């Protein structure tokens, strides 16, 4: 009992220290995953606590389970709009990009260190996946929002390239362990089987959960647990049937996240905590498992691999993968730099270890150093890089708190929203009855200094008030534009980015030239609308934040409809 209490005290203390350290480090812009890893290393056998942990089997089990939860959470937060914007570029990066990363990394390892090809290809496969959680965790802590085309590409790529890396790693490990001759056809068939079975398992799992959520009646707090348990079951069943369990977990999350379930908000809130707990536990365990002195034995090889991957392999793989999609060069540079490595390569490096391959700890040590370098070098510079390349866009207006009213039986999902009024909120210093709405909603009152002021008191909305409204979920954007400031204090101001004036996308350039200095326009251009002009200049799908300069005017896409037609364009006069 005393030993059990000591273990509980130790794990609880490590978790507490990790969270407190993350709170402090986020203010410095440090990658949170790096903090968790360092805490684990400090607690390890060569650290302050001197804990001896040499159980790769336990680490692999905990890491795999944590990855299922993290990937499932990522799938639920991937919306249809992101697939519409960046599906094929992301798929190209997740398939061709992973294959190129694996191959080019192997070429570098063989050329620099004369390591046998099978071992070099296995190392390339282990290191070929990127980590979306690390990237978007940094964005969130720094209140940074980037262009949807770039964000969507990174998110979908990171969510779908893990299965590809897992498939390649398992296949290469099996070939080396069985001493079979490498066969491109055999590997291709294995990859195809894993992808197809994974897609089918994920789709069936997602649809089954959606059906269950609509049919069964249980306490509302059980649904997040039901979702997490279902994801683990689908992962295990798909893997047993020869498919990619990670791909199935991601697709299942996507299906659930895009279903109109009243329980979804609660599921996401709990799932967010589970995902962070998984991240923390995974990196703590991996930090405990590593022996820092062993890293020195292969430090030159590991640093060389990290340098080759960051500065040569990733940029070349991104350029070749995105070649057919007309991506702007700035966005290609950023996507190249954001090839951040996370926990997946370290966990994959345990697979050869568990399979009993020669030099088994070599893969783990190299993967650990590469991830460490990636988190320090790339993780600390992501935000400055995004702003330097001018990929930041203003944050969307949204409620500060969302509370679903799922049990009232409404056909359209109803929610109670809370908005904190700031001096940047359009509704600030106005009484509620002075506001004009194009959508139905109900004003529930506001909270001022802890006191609830009811609608009948006709209060004026002031700074720091918390306004409460009830409305249908489909109207969240229209209501948020009036009540929300559209981002935190450190986020980019919408007026500074889009300009003081907004024009409809169906206005012609000739009409606009009557009021703004557009310069001399060709006769063919004068009849073009703003949407037509952007389409004429861009040979790719457009997103909010795309800009053009015409004469002394900067035109910025501010809003698009569901058919990707430009509806609003910001106008800013240049000095």
């Amino acid at each position: 009992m005393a030993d059990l209490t000591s273990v509980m005290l130790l794990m609880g203390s490590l978790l507490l220290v990790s969270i407190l350290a993350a709170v402090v480090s986020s203010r410095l812009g440090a990658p949170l995953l790096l903090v968790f890893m360092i805490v684990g290393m400090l607690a390890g056998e060569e650290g302050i606590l001197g804990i001896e942990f040499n159980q790769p089997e336990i680490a692999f089990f905990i890491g795999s389970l944590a990855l299922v939860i993290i990937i499932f959470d990522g799938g639920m937060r991937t919306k249809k709009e992101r697939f519409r914007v960046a599906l094929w570029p992301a798929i190209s990066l997740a398939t061709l990009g992973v294959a190129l990363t694996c191959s080019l990394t192997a070429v570098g390892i063989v050329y620099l260190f004369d390591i046998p090809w099978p071992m070099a290809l296995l190392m390339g496969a282990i290191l070929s996946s990127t980590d979306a959680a690390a990237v978007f965790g940094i964005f969130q802590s720094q209140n940074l929002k980037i262009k949807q085309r770039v964000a969507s590409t990174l998110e979908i790529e990171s969510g779908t390239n893990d299965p590809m890396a897992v498939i390649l790693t398992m296949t290469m490990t099996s070939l080396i362990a069985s001493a079979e001759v490498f066969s491109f056809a055999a590997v291709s068939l294995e990859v195809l089987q894993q992808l197809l079975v994974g897609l089918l398992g994920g789709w069936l799992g997602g649809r089954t959960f959606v059906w269950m959520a609509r049919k069964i009646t249980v306490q509302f707090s059980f649904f997040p647990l039901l979702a997490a348990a279902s994801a683990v079951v689908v992962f295990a069943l798909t893997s047993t049937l020869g498919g990619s369990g990670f791909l199935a977990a991601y697709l299942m999350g996507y299906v659930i996240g895009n279903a109109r379930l009243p329980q979804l908000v609660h599921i996401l809130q709990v799932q967010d905590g589970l995902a962070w707990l998984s991240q923390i536990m995974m990196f703590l365990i991996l930090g405990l498992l590593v022996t820092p002195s062993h890293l020195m034995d292969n430090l030159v090889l590991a640093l060389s691999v990290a340098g080759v991957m960051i500065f040569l392999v990733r940029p070349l793989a991104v350029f070749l993968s995105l070649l057919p999609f007309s991506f702007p060069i700035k966005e290609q540079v950023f996507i190249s730099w954001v090839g951040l490595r996370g926990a997946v390569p370290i966990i994959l490096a345990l697979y050869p270890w568990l399979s009993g391959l020669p030099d088994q700890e070599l893969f783990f040590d190299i993967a650990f150093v590469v991830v460490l370098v990636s988190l320090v070098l790339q993780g600390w510079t992501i935000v400055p890089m995004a702003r330097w390349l001018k990929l930041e866009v203003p944050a969307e207006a949204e409620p500060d708190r969302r509370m679903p009213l799922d049990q009232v039986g409404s056909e359209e999902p109803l929610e109670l929203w809370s908005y904190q009024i700031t001096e940047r909120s359009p509704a600030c210093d106005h009484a509620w009855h002075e506001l004009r709405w194009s959508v139905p909603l109900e004003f529930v009152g506001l909270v001022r200094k802890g006191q609830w002021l009811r609608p009948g008191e006709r209060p004026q909305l002031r700074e720091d008030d918390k306004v409460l409204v009830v409305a249908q979920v489909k109207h969240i954007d229209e209501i948020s534009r009036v009540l929300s400031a559209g981002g935190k204090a450190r986020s980019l101001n919408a007026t500074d980015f889009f300009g003081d004036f907004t024009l409809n996308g169906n206005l012609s350039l000739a009409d606009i030239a009557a009021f703004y200095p557009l310069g001399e326009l060709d006769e063919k251009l004068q009849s073009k609308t703003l949407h037509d002009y952007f389409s004429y200049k861009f040979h790719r799908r457009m997103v909010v934040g795309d800009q053009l300069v015409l004469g002394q005017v900067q035109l910025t896409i501010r809003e698009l409809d569901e058919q990707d037609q430009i509806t609003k364009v910001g106008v800013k006069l240049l000095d």
Side-chain angles (χ1 to χ4, degrees), residues 118-249:
M119 301 280 284
L121 285 170
L122 176 56
M123 180 57 65
I126 289 171
L127 297 171
S128 59
S129 71
T130 57
D131 193 327
V135 174
F136 289 96
I138 296 171
F139 288 166
Q140 186 177 10
S141 66
Q142 297 297 308
N143 296 320
L144 179 74
K145 179 179 173 60
I146 61 174
K147 281 187 177 182
Q148 186 185 20
R149 179 171 48 244
V150 181
S152 299
T153 301
L154 289 171
E155 184 175 345
I156 300 172
E157 179 209 3
S158 298
T160 54
N161 68 6
D162 289 344
M164 186 71 174
V166 171
I167 294 168
L168 289 176
T169 300
M170 293 176 66
T171 303
M172 291 304 305
T173 302
S174 300
L175 289 175
I176 295 174
S178 60
E180 294 182 9
V181 179
F182 177 81
S183 169
F184 180 79
V187 173
S188 299
L189 287 175
E190 176 70 19
V191 169
L192 184 62
Q193 175 188 326
Q194 294 254 358
L195 291 176
L196 291 178
V197 177
L199 288 171
L200 181 61
W203 185 83
L204 289 175
R207 297 308 306 170
T208 301
F209 179 85
V210 171
W211 177 81
M212 285 195 306
R214 289 172 175 164
K215 294 295 182 181
I216 64 177
T217 303
V218 295
Q219 288 186 8
F220 213 66
S221 56
F222 280 106
F223 279 101
L225 302 178
L226 179 64
S230 300
V232 174
V233 170
V234 168
F235 165 81
L237 288 176
T238 305
S239 300
T240 303
L241 296 174
S244 171
F246 293 110
L247 179 58

Side-chain angles (χ1 to χ4, degrees), residues 169-170 173-174 176-178 348-358 360:
T169 300
M170 293 176 66
T173 302
S174 300
I176 295 174
S178 60
L348 291 182
L350 293 173
Y351 196 77
W353 193 344
L354 297 175
S355 300
L357 295 189
Q360 51 194 4

